Amino acid sequence: MSSSTRATPTREVRALRIVQAKDSPLYIFMLRADEILNFADISRVSRDEAGKLIGYQRPQVRKHIQEIVEYLDSDVPIFPNPIIMALAPEVTFRSTRGGNRHPDDGVSDTGRLTIPLPEAGKTKPAWIVDGQQRALALSRAQRRDFPVPITAFVADTVNLQRDQFVRINNTKPLPRGLVTELLPEVDSPLPARLAIRQAPSKLCDVLNTDNSSPFVGMIKRASMSGNLPSRAVITDTGIVAMIQESLTSSSGCLYPYRDIGRGETDFDSIIKALIIYWSAVRDVFPEAWGKPPEKSRLMHKAGILAMGRLMDRILGTVDPLHEDAPERIRQHLALVVPHCRWTAGTWDDIGHNWNEIENVTKHVQELSNYLIRIYHSTRRELM
């Protein structure tokens, strides 16, 4: 038989098929510890050369993996949590009704699940959606035949895998930055708690990739782990929190760009406003811009949030879409410049040294109030 007609090797396992939605069965079966990573890839979050997000898994945590390995190598390990996988559409299921003890209830049945085995140089037939650390630990455990429960669904697109990853990890201690970065890539409706973060996260993405943005390439994202460019100094959670505050508060300068009744948001105008304001911030604080937060508290999450609240006041006075907005915003910011201590000195009234400002509610509130108070009092003196 020629290689062109050679049958694809397969692995057949006993499985329970559960039909939760039409054409979207869920399979529950068992694999040995040493089989998991032979079948499934771990799709870690990263970005391609064009900056597009690919993958969805968090970077591996060595200490956590080693703890699982030590437990698996103990005398009586119990491993009840399944590995959740997305399967390629090439898998097939054949019901074996004669082996069922109970009549088929129309929702579940048992049978044989046939999974194509990966060939050299080709994509594996499954991807791990939840259980990355456990899968890596199992591959390193001494007991190679340890039985592991698998829960799987068929998904031939990364978008569907990513959607399930965000939902499954929603209540787990998943790094906030990773969820923040993944949210713009999820197309299906999200729970309200995540949906309210989706728009700010999309805007954060634009600010980090648009060449006209003062933040381009400066925002740390989970996909950059281990490969951060030197200019990436700002946490994305700080940028997202700053945007979210302004978008969701009725006193925020970005709030008017939302049409709540129609469920629409003028993203183009929001991006223009953010770029114009933060470009002015960069211009009036050149010595503090672009430095890591340990050298400049302007780049610290506390500084981003405080300057974001000042943004709400300034853009409440200056129309950011007007042609003279950049110069006018710089003039407004100049009122607070002499009073700022981003890289050295002690903040007046607050009493904190520049590098004592931390991302805690008290410090953020103190810094925000101080900047807004100085801004308004100086404006009154000049009027």
Side-chain angles (χ1 to χ4, degrees), residues 250-302:
S250 58
S251 61
C253 68
L254 303 181
Y255 187 82
Y257 297 110
R258 298 174 58 203
D259 186 335
I260 297 176
R262 300 173 64 180
E264 297 176 353
T265 301
D266 184 355
F267 288 108
D268 288 342
S269 294
I270 289 174
I271 284 294
K272 288 179 182 177
L274 288 168
I275 288 177
I276 288 172
Y277 173 78
W278 286 98
S279 293
V281 173
R282 175 199 60 197
D283 294 344
V284 301
F285 295 112
E287 78 291 344
W289 190 263
K291 295 181 177 180
E294 61 269 19
K295 294 184 178 180
S296 170
R297 280 312 197 245
L298 177 60
M299 301 288 95
H300 193 279
K301 185 175 181 179

Side-chain angles (χ1 to χ4, degrees), residues 47 176-178 180-181 200 203-205 207-209 213-225 228-243 274 277-279 281-282 285 288-308 342 359:
R47 289 185 180 267
R176 185 178 179 87
L178 179 55
T180 296
E181 186 170 4
L203 293 165
C204 177
D205 234 8
L207 289 176
N208 201 34
T209 56
S213 166
F215 292 114
V216 64
M218 289 177 58
I219 303 173
K220 295 179 182 179
R221 311 238 66 181
S223 60
M224 298 176 179
S225 180
L228 284 171
S230 59
R231 68 180 185 277
V233 294
I234 308 170
T235 62
D236 56 357
T237 52
I239 298 293
V240 168
M242 176 269 295
I243 296 172
L274 288 168
Y277 173 78
W278 286 98
S279 293
V281 173
R282 175 199 60 197
F285 295 112
W289 190 263
K291 295 181 177 180
E294 61 269 19
K295 294 184 178 180
S296 170
R297 280 312 197 245
L298 177 60
M299 301 288 95
H300 193 279
K301 185 175 181 179
I304 294 294
L305 288 173
M307 289 301 292
W342 298 121
N359 179 35

Side-chain angles (χ1 to χ4, degrees), residues 35 69 91 107 121 126 138 153 193 242 261 272-273 288-289 321 327 330 340 371-372:
E35 291 182 301
V69 171
V91 302
V107 175
L138 285 160
F153 59 93
R193 186 167 66 84
M242 176 269 295
K272 288 179 182 177
W289 190 263
L321 305 184
E327 178 57 31
R330 285 193 291 269
C340 291
L371 291 173
I372 293 169

Side-chain angles (χ1 to χ4, degrees), residues 5 8 30 34 63 69 88 93 99 137 188 237 241 292 294 302 308 317 325 329 350 354 367:
T5 58
T8 301
M30 186 277 293
D34 61 356
K63 182 178 179 181
V69 171
F93 179 81
S188 59
T237 52
E294 61 269 19
T317 301
I329 293 170
I350 302 177
W354 74 273
L367 185 56

Side-chain angles (χ1 to χ4, degrees), residues 314-333:
I314 293 178
L315 297 195
T317 301
V318 179
D319 179 0
L321 305 184
H322 195 276
E323 60 181 12
D324 66 352
E327 178 57 31
R328 290 191 62 198
I329 293 170
R330 285 193 291 269
Q331 291 172 356
H332 281 257
L333 286 169

